């Protein structure tokens, strides 16, 4: 993507059912006014228990879920614009500028969650959240007036900053207001609206591009942010319990220490970091090249529709992956989760290779079919990987997740940066893309094979425990 429909992991209720157990129930000591049945109450939240949050927490969750749509929607609406951007700025579909415009967005999303997480845990959730929405609203509107590719790249860098923090702060707010026994369901609902972005975004963008121009996709995104910003400014309370964080210290590099000091987590991070470039480069190829004459000569609406299969695959994989992981783990333990990670990601590697070579078959059905299965396999394997890592370090679940997300997007940014220019070195870009996807697919297969060692260890562990 340059769509981030899977910019952040797609979490299911099943995953968070296990994560719930690793969080301590936070205390509540807040003095902000709340909204109760539409009326502003002056009663401080510090006097309220979790049971008293029922009227307001559902409204907050609804606001967070719709606001979470912004990130995936921004990414999924940009990809169909690429062909028109290439035309308006006199660029080829293999130009370095197109790669940079995608990579800079992904790189920011990879690095900055390491900063926003500690800030939201130490200082404020509400005002960081409000500043994200306000900054996003302004910057996306200004991006409408991009008159040069490097101006557009600059604005993409800027609006990636708030997008990188929205999911981080939203999960923190949910943890503040929902008790552990309800948090799994709340996290599932939090991701429900954003899951629709890969389906809504490309189609909506295609229509806007066709009848208004690609620049107006930014205007629409800015307009969507306005009511979310106003609602957050006036109705969202501060949920951070500052009394519970007095001894915490700011250290954005802690998540990476958690990964590199545990070889099991490091292996999973390596696997995830090899699969993310596959998906993002695949979507970049569809957006940048499918409108070209030497490919399929699709118009903007057709390019948007061509991104639907991978979006649908992402949604199905996200919904089914967690449930399948839990069912298999009940029978086979952690070894079952490792088996899912291994089998699905090896399959993903072969699917990615198939996508690359199907570009030369001159039948649009085949690359779209491969893209569907690529999205399905990757998101279905995600829950097993995330739960496994969290079980290994439950006291630092948030830090582990931040490190896994960052490593994936940093790797994906590198893949986006080099893939399109390399394809341009070939006389036929289709052959160039085929070899790039072959390399990414083989890399995914090889890194996935390393999880066999983890499978063997978990099997030995379960045998030992059974005796």
């Amino acid at each position: 993507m340059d769509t981030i429909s899977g910019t952040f992991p797609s979490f299911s209720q099943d995953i968070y059912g296990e994560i719930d157990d690793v969080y301590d129930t936070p205390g509540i000591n807040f003095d902000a006014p709340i909204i109760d049945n539409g009326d502003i109450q002056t009663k401080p939240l510090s006097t309220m228990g979790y049971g008293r949050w029922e009227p307001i927490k559902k409204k907050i969750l609804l606001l967070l879920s719709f606001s979470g749509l912004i990130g995936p929607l921004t990414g999924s609406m940009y990809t169909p614009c690429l062909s028109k951007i290439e035309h308006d700025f006199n660029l080829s579909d293999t130009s370095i500028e197109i790669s940079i415009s995608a990579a800079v967005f992904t790189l920011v999303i990879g690095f900055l969650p390491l900063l926003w997480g500690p800030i939201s845990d130490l200082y404020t959730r509400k005002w960081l959240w409000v500043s994200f929405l306000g900054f996003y609203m302004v910057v996306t509107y200004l991006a409408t007036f991009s008159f040069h590719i490097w101006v557009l790249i600059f604005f993409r860098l800027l609006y990636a900053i708030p997008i990188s923090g929205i999911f981080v702060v939203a999960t923190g707010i949910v943890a503040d207001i929902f008790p552990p026994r309800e948090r799994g369901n709340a996290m599932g609902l939090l991701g429900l609206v954003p899951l629709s972005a890969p389906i809504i975004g490309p189609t909506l963008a295609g229509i806007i591009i066709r009848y208004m121009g690609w620049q107006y996709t930014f205007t629409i995104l800015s307009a969507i942010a306005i009511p979310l910003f106003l609602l957050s400014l006036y109705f969202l309370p501060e949920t951070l319990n500052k009394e519970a964080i007095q001894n915490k210290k700011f250290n954005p590099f802690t998540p990476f220490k958690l990964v590199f000091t545990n070889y099991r987590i490091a292996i999973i991070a390596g696997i995830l970091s090899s699969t993310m470039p596959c998906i993002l480069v695949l979507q970049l190829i569809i957006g940048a090249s499918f409108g070209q004459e030497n490919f399929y000569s699709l118009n903007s609406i057709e390019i948007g529709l061509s991104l639907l299969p991978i979006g649908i695959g992402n949604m199905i994989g996200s919904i089914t992956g967690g449930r399948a992981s839990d069912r298999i783990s009940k029978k086979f333990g952690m070894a079952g989760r490792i088996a899912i990670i291994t089998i699905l990601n090896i399959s993903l590697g072969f699917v990615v290779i198939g996508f690359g070579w199907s570009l030369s078959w001159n039948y649009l059905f085949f690359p779209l079919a491969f893209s569907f299965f690529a999205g399905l396999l990757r998101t279905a394997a995600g829950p097993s990987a995330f739960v496994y890592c969290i079980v290994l370090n439950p006291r630092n679940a948030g830090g582990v997740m931040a490190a896994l997300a960052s490593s994936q997007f940093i790797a994906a940014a590198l893949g986006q940066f080099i893939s399109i220019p390399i394809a341009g070195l070939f006389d036929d870009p289709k052959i160039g893309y085929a070899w790039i996807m072959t390399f990414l697919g083989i890399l995914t297969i090889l890194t996935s094979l390393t999880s066999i060692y983890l499978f063997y260890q978990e099997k030995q562990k379960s045998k030992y425990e059974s005796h």
Side-chain angles (χ1 to χ4, degrees), residues 1-293:
M1 53 182 150
D2 179 72
T3 160
I4 63 171
S5 57
T7 242
F8 296 98
S10 299
F11 299 101
S12 72
Q13 297 180 20
D14 305 286
I15 303 175
Y16 275 100
E18 297 201 27
I19 296 177
D20 288 344
D21 298 332
V22 306
Y23 286 102
D24 295 323
T25 303
I28 304 178
N29 185 14
F30 313 123
D31 296 320
I34 65 169
I35 307 301
D36 189 359
N37 296 325
D39 298 319
I40 296 181
Q41 307 290 319
T42 58
K43 186 178 182 179
L45 297 181
S46 55
T47 65
M48 301 177 66
Y50 278 123
R52 300 285 300 278
W53 277 80
E54 197 63 35
I56 182 175
K57 67 184 180 184
K58 292 180 180 178
K59 297 174 185 178
I60 292 175
L61 184 61
L62 187 64
L63 175 60
L64 297 179
S65 186
F66 274 95
S67 300
L69 181 66
I70 282 178
L73 195 63
T74 303
S76 62
M77 288 182 68
Y78 178 74
T79 309
C81 297
L82 291 175
S83 290
K84 289 293 184 181
I85 290 172
E86 292 162 359
H87 177 269
D88 289 357
F89 294 142
N90 296 316
L91 303 171
S92 71
D93 60 318
T94 57
S95 64
I96 186 67
E97 291 88 349
I98 294 298
S99 292
I100 292 174
S101 75
V104 70
F105 179 83
T106 308
L107 194 62
V108 171
I109 289 177
F111 271 115
L112 288 188
L114 299 174
L115 179 66
W116 301 135
I119 290 177
S120 70
D121 286 341
L122 289 173
Y123 302 110
T124 177
R125 300 216 199 274
K126 171 177 178 171
W127 295 111
L128 191 59
W129 177 268
V130 170
S131 65
F132 284 154
L133 292 175
F135 186 71
Y136 174 89
M137 179 178 63
V138 173
V139 173
T140 48
Y141 177 72
L142 293 176
T144 305
F145 305 100
S146 299
F147 56 87
H148 192 276
I149 183 61
W150 287 104
V151 176
L152 176 60
I153 291 172
F154 174 71
F155 281 120
R156 283 195 36 90
L157 184 151
L158 290 182
Y159 68 62
I161 294 173
I163 289 174
S164 69
I166 286 177
F167 180 81
V168 175
V169 179
T171 53
I173 293 174
V174 168
D176 290 340
I177 67 176
F178 284 90
R181 66 180 180 276
E182 299 178 9
R183 216 171 283 160
N185 183 60
M187 289 295 186
L189 294 174
L190 177 65
L192 194 59
V193 176
L195 277 176
S196 65
I199 296 176
I200 297 172
T203 306
L204 177 61
I207 295 171
I208 294 171
I209 296 165
R210 181 70 178 272
Y211 297 105
M212 300 174 66
W214 62 265
Q215 296 89 340
Y216 286 94
T217 59
F218 298 113
T219 309
I220 299 298
L221 289 168
S222 179
I224 292 172
I226 292 174
L228 299 172
F229 169 76
L230 294 175
L231 287 170
S232 299
L233 179 64
Y234 289 107
F235 300 124
L236 182 68
E238 177 60 74
T239 63
L240 180 65
N241 181 7
K242 295 184 179 180
E243 292 184 2
I245 58 171
Q246 292 178 356
N247 296 323
K248 288 187 176 182
K249 296 182 180 179
F250 179 82
N251 186 353
F253 298 104
T254 297
F256 282 118
K257 292 181 181 178
L258 299 174
V259 171
F260 293 119
T261 55
N262 189 318
Y263 73 91
R264 292 180 178 88
I265 298 178
I267 288 174
I268 299 300
I271 295 172
L272 295 176
S273 297
S274 68
T275 60
M276 180 67 92
C278 295
I279 301 300
L280 298 197
V281 171
L282 184 154
Q283 291 181 306
L284 189 61
I285 292 172
I286 294 175
S289 300
F290 276 28
Q292 303 299 319
E293 291 183 2

